[in-house]
Amino acid sequence: MKKKFLFAIFFILGASTFVKAQSVTVKAHDRFSLSYNLNEKAGNKNYSDVQGSPYTTIEFQEATCSEIDEVIFVRYDAYKQILLFKDQNGNLKAMSPLSKYRIDLAGKDYSYVVANFPEDGLGYGLLLWENSNGMRLIKKQVIKYNEGQEPDGGYTAAIPASFGNVVETFFIQLKENGPIVEVPSQKKKAFKLLGNDFENNAKKNKLNIKDEEEFIKLLKLTFSDPK
């Protein structure tokens, strides 16, 4: 009876601690997953106190992963650079880039993949296009956190902390297992990186390399596998 009583106390204490911290426990088989704290602070503020959102989508998106034998739901935290996912039971986890899992989004033409970005190292990005030679176009999304300001002697109103807009940067991997480099914003540098055929197709078809859809179309025209 005494053992049961002690177990009940430990269970209640453990449960209350879990609820207070709102941390997410990772199952044993997800050995590459990270724990994720829903109340982790941005600067000195909780997410709930910050204007805007650190997420790139409002809702979780349905997805599949070859390493997880079930449908999952994902959302990207572009401030922490973490890919969150929920399983069918609603358990929330954070996917470690060490897992190198590919996450295919339902009804979309792109997937989340792990890339070794030049400055930030391993992280998740959106795979927008690839061919059989391992050439890949990946979009990295980042959201910055802006510190708030206290009122200045009653003359200046307080400015609340906020998340900025999504900043998107495009990276290209020219061959399988090759380095990933940022796509230059200047046309001349981009043409030098991607070659004469790419430049000729851009001019011939009047495609703007600064437009995401047109840039992908241009890559397909120049580098896609022959049918």
Side-chain angles (χ1 to χ4, degrees), residues 2-100:
K2 187 176 180 181
K3 290 183 177 179
K4 290 183 178 179
F5 178 73
L6 288 174
F7 175 79
I9 291 177
F10 289 139
F11 178 81
I12 293 170
L13 288 174
S16 62
T17 301
F18 175 82
V19 171
K20 184 178 180 181
Q22 294 190 49
S23 60
V24 177
T25 303
V26 181
K27 292 183 179 179
H29 70 271
D30 298 322
R31 70 189 190 99
F32 289 121
S33 292
L34 302 170
S35 62
Y36 182 75
N37 192 320
L38 298 180
N39 273 344
E40 186 169 342
K41 293 182 178 180
N44 295 319
K45 301 286 186 180
N46 291 323
Y47 275 11
S48 59
D49 300 323
V50 182
Q51 291 186 352
S53 172
Y55 307 113
T56 55
T57 57
I58 298 174
E59 303 291 341
F60 280 80
Q61 298 174 284
E62 183 178 336
T64 57
C65 174
S66 59
E67 303 296 330
I68 302 175
D69 190 23
E70 61 182 46
V71 173
I72 59 176
F73 299 87
V74 300
R75 185 164 67 166
Y76 188 65
D77 184 330
Y79 167 66
K80 294 181 188 171
Q81 309 280 302
I82 293 175
L83 182 63
L84 302 174
F85 73 98
K86 290 193 295 186
D87 61 22
Q88 291 178 327
N89 296 321
N91 297 314
L92 182 64
K93 306 166 191 175
M95 186 77 75
S96 167
L98 293 175
S99 64
K100 297 187 179 180

Side-chain angles (χ1 to χ4, degrees), residues 2-222:
K2 187 176 180 181
K3 290 183 177 179
K4 290 183 178 179
F5 178 73
L6 288 174
F7 175 79
I9 291 177
F10 289 139
F11 178 81
I12 293 170
L13 288 174
S16 62
T17 301
F18 175 82
V19 171
K20 184 178 180 181
Q22 294 190 49
S23 60
V24 177
T25 303
V26 181
K27 292 183 179 179
H29 70 271
D30 298 322
R31 70 189 190 99
F32 289 121
S33 292
L34 302 170
S35 62
Y36 182 75
N37 192 320
L38 298 180
N39 273 344
E40 186 169 342
K41 293 182 178 180
N44 295 319
K45 301 286 186 180
N46 291 323
Y47 275 11
S48 59
D49 300 323
V50 182
Q51 291 186 352
S53 172
Y55 307 113
T56 55
T57 57
I58 298 174
E59 303 291 341
F60 280 80
Q61 298 174 284
E62 183 178 336
T64 57
C65 174
S66 59
E67 303 296 330
I68 302 175
D69 190 23
E70 61 182 46
V71 173
I72 59 176
F73 299 87
V74 300
R75 185 164 67 166
Y76 188 65
D77 184 330
Y79 167 66
K80 294 181 188 171
Q81 309 280 302
I82 293 175
L83 182 63
L84 302 174
F85 73 98
K86 290 193 295 186
D87 61 22
Q88 291 178 327
N89 296 321
N91 297 314
L92 182 64
K93 306 166 191 175
M95 186 77 75
S96 167
L98 293 175
S99 64
K100 297 187 179 180
Y101 293 159
R102 176 174 174 147
I103 311 297
D104 296 315
L105 298 170
K108 304 292 184 181
D109 294 328
Y110 45 83
S111 309
Y112 280 106
V113 295
V114 173
N116 190 12
F117 294 102
E119 294 184 3
D120 300 326
L122 287 178
Y124 274 94
L126 283 170
L127 175 64
L128 303 179
W129 171 85
E130 65 180 337
N131 66 12
S132 62
N133 293 323
M135 188 175 184
R136 304 193 299 174
L137 176 67
I138 297 172
K139 178 168 68 175
K140 184 176 177 63
Q141 298 172 300
V142 176
I143 292 177
K144 299 294 184 182
Y145 170 74
N146 304 309
E147 287 279 0
Q149 295 182 12
E150 298 294 331
D152 183 16
Y155 296 100
T156 305
I159 300 176
S162 63
F163 290 110
N165 296 325
V166 180
V167 176
E168 298 180 332
T169 307
F170 296 88
F171 293 84
I172 198 90
Q173 186 174 12
L174 296 176
K175 60 181 181 180
E176 189 173 4
N177 298 322
I180 292 176
V181 296
E182 184 176 341
V183 177
S185 58
Q186 296 181 8
K187 280 186 178 181
K188 288 185 178 180
K189 292 183 178 180
F191 290 154
K192 183 178 179 180
L193 174 67
L194 295 167
N196 292 332
D197 289 343
F198 180 85
E199 180 178 358
N200 292 336
N201 282 332
K203 293 177 179 178
K204 178 181 177 181
N205 295 280
K206 298 181 180 179
L207 295 173
N208 181 8
I209 66 171
K210 294 186 178 181
D211 180 274
E212 181 177 319
E213 291 186 5
E214 293 190 13
F215 184 58
I216 294 173
K217 183 177 181 180
L218 187 52
L219 288 172
K220 290 178 178 178
L221 280 172
T222 310

